[in-house]
Amino acid sequence: MVCALVLLATVPATAQDLRPTLSQFKHRSWTREDGAPGAVHAIAQTPDGFLWLGTSRGLYRFDGVTFEKAGVAAGSQLENIGVSHLIVGRDGTLWAGLFDGAGVAVLRGGQLHDMHMPDPPMMITDLVEGRDGSIWAVWGGLENRLARYVDGRWQKMDAVSHLPAGQIIGIVVDADGTLFVSLTARGGGGGVLAYLPRGAARFRRSPHRGLATASLARDCAGRLWAAGRTGTYPLDPYSDGNVSGAARYAAVPGLRVAAITFDRWGGIWGTTRTVGVFHVAAPWERSEVERFTAADGLSADSTRSLLVDREGTIWIGTGEGLDQFRRVPVVLEAGVEADIVHGNIMADGDGGTAYITSHGRLFAIDGSARPRMILSGFPSESVICPARTGGVWLGGQSSVRRVGPAGEVRGRWQSGNVYNCLEDRRGRLWLATGDGLQLLENGRLQSLDGAQTKGDVWDMALDPDYDLAFSLNQTGLVRVRGRAMTYLAPERLAVGPIGAMASDSRGLYVSGARGMLRIRGNRIDRIDSARAPWLAGARAVMRTADGETWILNDDGISVLSSAALDRGFDDPSSAIARRLYDSRDGLPGGPQHIGFRGGQLAAGSDGRRWFTTRAGLVRLDGLHAVDRTPPPVAIRMLSGGGVAVRDPQISVLPKGTRTVTIAYSALSLAVPERVRFRYRLEGIDEDWVDPGARREANYANLPPGTYRFNVIAASDAGVWNREGAVASFTIPPTFLESPTFHILLLLGAVALLWLAYSLRMQAVTARVRLRMTERLRERERISRDLHDTFLQSVQALILRFQLAADELPRGAASRGALENALDQADQVMAEGRERLHDLRASEKASAIEIALRELVERQHFDSRVESCVLTSGEPRPLHPLVATEAVNIAREALFNVWRHARGDRVEVLIGFDAHQFVVRVRDNGTGIDPDVLGAGGRAGHFGLAGMRERARGVGGELAIDAAPGSGTDVSFVVPATLAYRLAEAPRGRLWRCRRD
């Protein structure tokens, strides 16, 4: 099928273009030193693009870079069994014929599976697929030679199908489904051709005679060919003679067993088993038989198998490895000899004719024709340049000649020794000579004066804004209009030594060692070598009418869109893409030495491009088809955690995997080094990673999770496969990475925080309790001191005053006043004792409730005011200081209710909670002005401030919730650890309420 692509050519071309010879193919080989698995007995290509190799060591696949051995099914006996033959079925299944009596196997899921052929022969020599999907297997012996696999079972076909006697040499199926078999009789003499029409039960003998030891093949048109010791030729199986008018090619000397195939251009490629390969470029045009052997670079002369892949590349299997023949677009033109002393000079002539010099001879290249010599006998150091009215100017020692397209000399003028020349748009010929710059105008040759005319002229080009420009001393530039000259100094150009110039309507383009310039008018734009190094150091530049720019330098031959190049000058951020032709495309060497001045390239009218190189004249075939098929992309291997997964799709790697390696490939086998990749691991890579031609991605420190790896690729022609290949893999978490461990870790952290908080609170509580204990002891000391000193002294005074009062006569005015004073003193003593009692507050749980009830009773609320004291929780002994401050805060709150609230209900709530002690005083009165509450109290009043200070003094908090018209709620809260004497939590709830 691949050979049919030649019919797609729609442009005129020579027979050589459509039937390329060996010189138009580039050869490459892989041996054991390159990783090849040794002798290659069979080659096939599956739809995914992989090349499969049958070797003595088993089945291998090849992606153009890496050889990988296929696995075998678990429990199979096929490990290390050699593979003798391969075919790919129409459904894409790979079938393998095996050595060592192993029969036939198929490849499924990357592994070989035995097809359980009964009584298999020592080796399978051939396999073909019938049009009905049946598989025919051949053994090269004299018995049990042919077997068929259909409907899941094998059937021996020798007797059933009445196969003629003899050893089977070749087998092929034509487009109609007819099976053809070539056989040789016992002892190797004679030979017959038999065929089994589709649906028939018995073989029929062909009337063809003279067939001996010949293999069979079909060409692009479906015609049958035979190849063997008697030669290579087409045959008509239904007649007794050869095909009328067809060439018969003699077998190459030393051939043992021939096998042939046809490339996409219709050429024949053949293996010999002993003397390399042979090639016939145009079988129907009686072209010569070309040979390629180990002496030419073949891996071995023992050629055994061959294949034409989907890209048109020819693959040869030998006893030592694998060889590739790939058609290349750049071909060395053997008809023009390289001149390494004086150089080959080219001129792009009028009408698409190109001219080139070689050793004192002038060649013309017309259209698609081969170079033809039109003039000889002139000095080898002569130069040429195009003549506007046809032909070229030929400058040499002391003269310049005008040469017509046929080589006729149309004029001759004496001059200096010419080493470069250019004819401008006015028809004036400018000559760079050893005597300086000279001008041939209107038939008169004259020397020019001026500093710019005496320097060393290197390159010359037309200038769209002037008449012409030339590089002076290789670093400066002179622009000429009429005879006036404008000099651009090296400092202004800043491009280094100038190697080449070209022009069109867009400007003058100058390539130097440090980049490329575009000069338009007085403006100079530049692209530095750091941005596009291949634009620098050009030996030749050409701008073509079809919008291309061609550049020749040490990098190779570059072609790009002229519009893209101009965008690169206009926009420094613009990307500049090119197509490179180098040694991989057949370019045999770099450009000539810069000392060989004059033209170095030319464009043919047929689309070809011609270049001079150190190896000679080369042509770049513009008709060479560029494969625009996106390359298949595959992910070959996923490795991580000591596990390697071949052809991964959805995989699970071992727990604890941290480093993952992903090997991928693109099945463009022609020039795999030029394949470019981009990949991305979702969740890790924010954007596509550009690894260039590298075929492996490495990731380290991957956390557990599920990942999706995507890779895309572009062929050597720059055609991208945007779908690419995808593989997903999961790294399970270890116990230390699992959610369970994270939850436990979180709980542990919370526990540690709680422990730290508890320890902190215990420390704070201990400090507060210590301060409270110190305050309590101080109060008790004050109480004792007051009792032992002040109250005792006051009591003694009262007794003395009472004795004095008793001595006064009854009814005396002074006695009455004194007794009233004594009554007030008794009241003061009573209040003092109460204060002493407060200083020695009770620790009983009921003491706080009793004290608060007494406060409510002593407050003397109006009879319409309902008052309640409520207790919740199991009463517990309070710290004396907390109880005291609770009573004091409640006293101030009740006083404020009595004085300001004007409500009809007041409640005192006592809460013995497990975590805190609470005393709340709330009413349904007028509330508190928000301004007063925000300011912390009225100016000059300290009730609210004192309450807050008392609360803070025992480690508690005071909260006041009040709004105008909604009553007031005062809450005093102390943590349980500070409030209670005992640690046990309350066990019940008791409510008591009384109406006063």
Side-chain angles (χ1 to χ4, degrees), residues 889 892-893 896 900 928-929 931-938 941-952 958-960 962 968 970:
I889 291 172
E892 181 66 26
N896 289 335
H900 304 291
I928 301 176
D929 189 336
D931 294 336
V932 174
L933 194 60
R938 298 181 185 275
H941 296 260
F942 304 101
L944 295 180
M947 294 165 67
R948 290 190 176 92
E949 291 172 358
R950 289 179 182 277
R952 286 195 299 268
L958 184 76
I960 300 175
T968 303
V970 178

Side-chain angles (χ1 to χ4, degrees), residues 47 92 163 238 276 370 466 473 480 545 582 689 746 811 831 926 972:
L163 180 68
Y238 307 111
R370 302 293 296 274
Y466 289 72
N473 299 325
V480 181
D582 56 17
V689 177
L746 179 61
E831 291 178 356
T926 58
F972 169 58

Side-chain angles (χ1 to χ4, degrees), residues 111 296 344 390 408 447 473 494 547 559 585 692 728 831 834 859 881 888 965 978 982:
Q111 295 180 328
D296 302 306
N344 302 98
E408 70 277 16
S447 297
N473 299 325
V559 59
D585 301 289
S728 297
E831 291 178 356
E834 288 181 2
Q859 198 59 56
L881 197 56
N888 291 333
L978 297 175
L982 300 178

